[in-house]
């Protein structure tokens, strides 16, 4: 088996290097004091750390890259040697050279655990992208569930596929969106994570290659690592443009992954919304490669710009149900404490997932299922989601304004929906900023949590969970952490824990 999982062609790498706008670009070397090979090595290293070139991607041969960049082969050879010496490149005779991260670098494996409630008064938590419950709808849903509970209390309470009423309600929602769906195509799970875990157990055994967006949702990446998957990162398009279809086609062809995991609607963490044509093309490419496409729709309800019309779901382009499995959830749209997720797939896939579930969690809590059933059948869901959108929109606008005011050097694109802002930290280490910020009383996850093997060091993720004075205070503390990291005046380990409980 090859030591690399994808490859970057010489023209593609030249374009990526040229798009850095001075951050390691080698497209204009005349007049630079930095040696040309050093500029090239720095540019490639930056691309790896930002995740724009995946880890374990084969780089072009020295002669090919030299021709694409219009530099000497000696320059490329020296740059590759420098990268090997720094741990960002590995080579083997007959296999070429591929990107890496230095040995001993900590991998972004810690989950995005919510802050303990007792610390909420002293630390601003921007680590967890989850909002408080939308009332009075949570209370009404639980009350409605209690009224419907007595008949179920006289049963064993185990429903591995989910309550029939909830499966029907979820199927009806897909049908109303123009995707004809039967209850037999739905399995209710314990949150979206339970859904992805079930799919991984059934569809992607240990050692199988799984293609993932780069960056992607940190907790799913860790779940797949622990399941033994070999993650193959595929870089997102710039800004909020969605997927890089050329990169996806190349990975699907070269790495032949068993499965691919994507977030088409308000991608976590970038907030990107994949256009409809990209969805069609990705489904076609996955079907041609024999790759199962898992589409995560957990953010799809959180449309924040009122005039935005969502593209059709990814599963709309797979009418036979052979290439796409869809994952949904009430946890992001409604409340994280209501652990209800679901899978939409072909009936035979659902039967396989249900049968395999006996070795996992047996079923999802009945009371939670009844609460979501009440919301979907009473009209409460639509009213609660409208309330949630308004709150999230206000939070987004307040956070964006605060970051622009206090951190003008940070770069980001404002998403039209979802819960997260993906910010480039002005060339500084996101990990160091996150460490400094936590000591100053604001908790934020750094970019490497969302990449494969240490990528995205120059980013942080900011969720839309605070507003008003709290958003401004969070940005103020992040600005102070950024100043300390930039100046190097205070080492992270020496920072006073001013706000820590």
């Amino acid at each position: 088996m090859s030591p690399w999982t994808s490859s970057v062609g010489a023209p593609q790498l030249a374009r990526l290097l040229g798009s850095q706008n001075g951050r390691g670009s080698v497209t204009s070397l005349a007049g630079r004091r930095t040696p040309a090979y050093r500029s090239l090595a720095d540019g490639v290293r930056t691309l790896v750390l930002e995740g724009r070139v995946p880890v374990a991607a084969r780089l072009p041969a020295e002669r090919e890259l030299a021709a694409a960049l219009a530099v000497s082969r000696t320059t490329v050879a020296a740059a590759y040697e420098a990268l090997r010496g720094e741990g960002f490149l590995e080579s083997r005779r007959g296999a070429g050279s591929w990107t890496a991260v230095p040995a001993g670098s900590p991998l972004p494996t810690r989950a995005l655990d919510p802050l303990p409630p007792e610390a909420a008064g002293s630390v601003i938590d921007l680590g967890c992208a989850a909002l408080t419950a939308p009332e009075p709808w949570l209370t009404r849903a639980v009350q409605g569930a209690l009224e419907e509970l007595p008949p179920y209390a006289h049963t064993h309470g185990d429903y591995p596929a989910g309550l029939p009423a909830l499966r029907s309600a979820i199927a009806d929602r897909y049908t109303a969106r123009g995707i004809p769906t039967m209850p037999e195509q739905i399995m209710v799970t314990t949150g979206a994570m339970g859904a992805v875990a079930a799919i991984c157990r059934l569809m992607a055994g240990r050692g199988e290659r799984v293609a993932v967006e780069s960056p992607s949702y940190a907790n799913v990446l860790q779940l797949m690592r622990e399941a033994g998957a070999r993650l193959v990162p595929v870089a997102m398009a710039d800004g909020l443009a969605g997927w890089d279809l050329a990169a996806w086609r190349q990975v699907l062809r070269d790495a032949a992954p068993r499965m691919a995991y994507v977030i088409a609607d308000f991608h976590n963490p970038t907030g990107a919304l994949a256009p409809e044509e990209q969805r069609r093309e990705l489904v076609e490419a996955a079907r041609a490669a024999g790759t199962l496409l898992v589409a995560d729709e957990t953010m799809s309800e959180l449309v924040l710009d009122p005039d935005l019309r969502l593209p059709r779901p990814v599963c709309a382009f797979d009418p036979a149900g052979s290439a796409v499995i869809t994952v949904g959830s009430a946890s992001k749209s409604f409340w994280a404490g209501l652990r209800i997720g679901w899978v939409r797939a072909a009936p035979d896939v659902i039967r396989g997932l249900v049968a395999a579930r006996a070795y996992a969690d047996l079923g999802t809590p009945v009371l939670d299922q009844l609460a979501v059933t009440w919301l979907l059948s009473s009209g409460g869901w639509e009213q609660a989601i409208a309330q949630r959108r308004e709150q999230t929109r206000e939070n987004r606008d307040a956070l964006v304004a605060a970051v622009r005011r206090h951190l003008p050097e940070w770069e980001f694109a404002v998403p039209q929906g979802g819960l997260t802002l993906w910010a480039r930290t002005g060339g500084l280490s996101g990990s160091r900023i996150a460490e400094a910020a936590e000591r100053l009383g604001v908790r934020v996850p750094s970019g490497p949590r969302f990449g494969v093997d240490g990528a995205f060091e120059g980013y942080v993720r900011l969720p839309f969970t605070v507003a008003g004075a709290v958003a401004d205070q969070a940005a103020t503390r992040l600005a102070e952490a950024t100043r300390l990291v930039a100046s190097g005046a205070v080492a992270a380990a020496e920072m006073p824990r001013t706000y820590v409980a």
Side-chain angles (χ1 to χ4, degrees):
M1 187 173 289
S2 67
W4 45 270
T5 56
S6 61
S7 59
V8 181
Q12 179 188 5
L13 184 56
R15 287 194 300 271
L16 290 170
L17 289 163
S19 70
Q20 292 178 325
N21 297 323
R23 293 186 294 271
S25 174
V26 294
T27 55
S28 179
L29 299 174
R32 288 184 179 270
R33 293 183 178 179
T34 305
Y37 84 88
R38 184 68 263 172
S39 294
L40 175 54
D42 290 346
V44 172
R45 185 183 67 243
T46 299
L47 290 172
V48 172
L49 290 174
E50 290 182 348
R52 299 179 69 194
V53 169
V55 175
R58 187 174 66 168
L59 295 187
E62 295 170 1
R63 191 184 304 277
E64 294 174 358
L65 185 57
L69 294 174
V71 298
S72 70
R73 182 178 177 183
T74 302
T75 296
V76 177
Y80 279 14
E81 183 60 32
L83 290 167
R84 276 190 289 270
E86 296 165 1
F88 286 94
L89 196 69
E90 295 181 10
S91 303
R92 192 172 76 195
R93 185 178 298 276
S97 298
W98 59 95
T99 56
V101 291
S105 297
L107 299 184
T109 57
R110 191 174 67 172
L112 303 181
D113 303 318
L115 192 69
E118 61 269 18
S122 57
V123 179
I124 301 172
D125 187 11
L126 297 182
C128 186
L131 295 162
T132 56
E135 290 287 24
W137 301 108
L138 175 62
T139 298
R140 291 181 183 177
V142 173
Q143 290 171 342
L146 288 172
E147 292 175 1
E148 298 295 327
L149 182 61
Y152 295 94
H154 294 289
T155 73
H156 49 64
D158 287 337
Y159 295 86
L163 296 184
L166 181 54
R167 297 175 74 193
S168 294
I170 294 170
D172 289 345
R173 287 184 66 80
Y174 279 104
T175 300
R177 294 167 66 189
I179 317 296
T181 303
M182 304 179 295
E184 292 79 9
Q185 292 177 263
I186 302 295
M187 181 178 84
V188 179
T189 62
T190 307
M193 290 293 289
V196 176
I199 295 167
C200 286
R201 282 194 301 270
L202 185 66
M203 301 295 184
R206 185 168 292 275
E208 294 274 12
R209 287 177 173 172
V210 177
V212 295
E213 296 152 324
S214 185
S216 187
Y217 180 40
N219 289 340
V220 165
L221 293 181
Q222 181 60 11
L223 182 156
M224 290 179 174
R225 288 188 189 100
E226 293 184 354
R230 298 182 63 198
L231 300 183
V232 183
V234 186
M236 297 287 288
D238 290 338
L240 299 177
W243 299 317
D244 183 336
L245 265 299
W248 269 104
R249 291 191 190 94
Q250 185 168 351
V251 165
L252 292 173
R253 181 181 64 248
D254 294 348
R258 173 71 183 89
M259 192 171 81
Y261 169 80
V262 298
I263 307 171
D265 302 300
F266 312 125
H267 175 261
N268 186 354
T270 67
L273 178 66
E276 188 162 303
E277 191 56 34
Q278 286 188 8
R279 301 174 188 225
R280 182 195 307 276
E281 292 182 21
L282 185 58
V283 171
E284 291 174 353
R287 184 185 295 115
T291 298
L292 179 67
L293 195 60
V294 178
D296 187 334
E297 289 189 336
T298 53
M299 295 285 191
S300 63
E301 300 263 18
L302 293 174
V303 178
L304 303 185
D305 288 358
D307 297 333
L308 176 64
R309 183 176 179 180
L310 279 180
R312 284 182 290 172
V314 175
C315 60
F317 305 102
D318 179 41
S322 60
V324 178
I325 294 180
T326 302
V327 170
S329 173
S331 298
K332 291 294 186 186
S333 300
F334 188 80
W335 184 48
L338 199 59
R339 303 303 304 161
I340 296 295
W342 54 85
V343 177
R344 181 198 180 274
D348 62 322
V349 174
I350 294 297
R351 287 192 294 270
L353 290 169
V354 171
R357 190 174 192 178
Y359 308 101
D361 64 353
L362 295 178
T364 301
V366 170
L367 193 62
D368 285 22
Q369 293 189 69
L370 288 173
V372 174
T373 303
W374 183 90
L375 286 166
L376 294 177
S377 60
S378 68
W381 180 269
E382 283 73 18
Q383 295 182 69
I385 295 303
Q387 177 180 320
R388 174 67 81 218
R389 287 171 177 164
E390 182 178 354
Q391 176 191 6
T392 308
R393 186 184 307 117
E394 292 175 0
N395 289 1
R396 178 196 65 178
D397 295 346
L399 185 66
V400 166
V403 173
R404 283 177 171 163
R405 184 162 54 250
H406 296 288
L407 291 151
E409 69 277 14
W410 283 20
E411 303 171 39
F412 55 85
V414 181
Q416 296 177 287
L419 281 171
T420 57
L421 186 72
W422 186 238
R424 188 200 298 262
T425 54
L428 298 176
S429 164
S431 297
R432 289 198 64 200
I433 291 173
E435 182 179 0
E438 188 155 1
R439 295 173 180 273
L440 294 172
V442 59
R443 188 168 179 260
V444 60
S446 60
R449 301 247 192 122
F450 305 89
V452 175
D453 295 340
F456 303 106
E457 183 56 58
Y459 291 82
V460 296
R461 189 196 74 173
L462 305 175
F464 307 138
T465 53
V466 294
V470 179
D472 193 78
Q473 186 61 47
T476 299
R477 296 179 187 181
L478 285 170
E480 174 63 12
T482 301
R483 186 190 67 79
L484 290 169
V485 171
S487 67
V490 181
E494 299 171 353
M495 293 180 187
R497 295 179 177 269
T498 308
Y499 297 96
V500 177

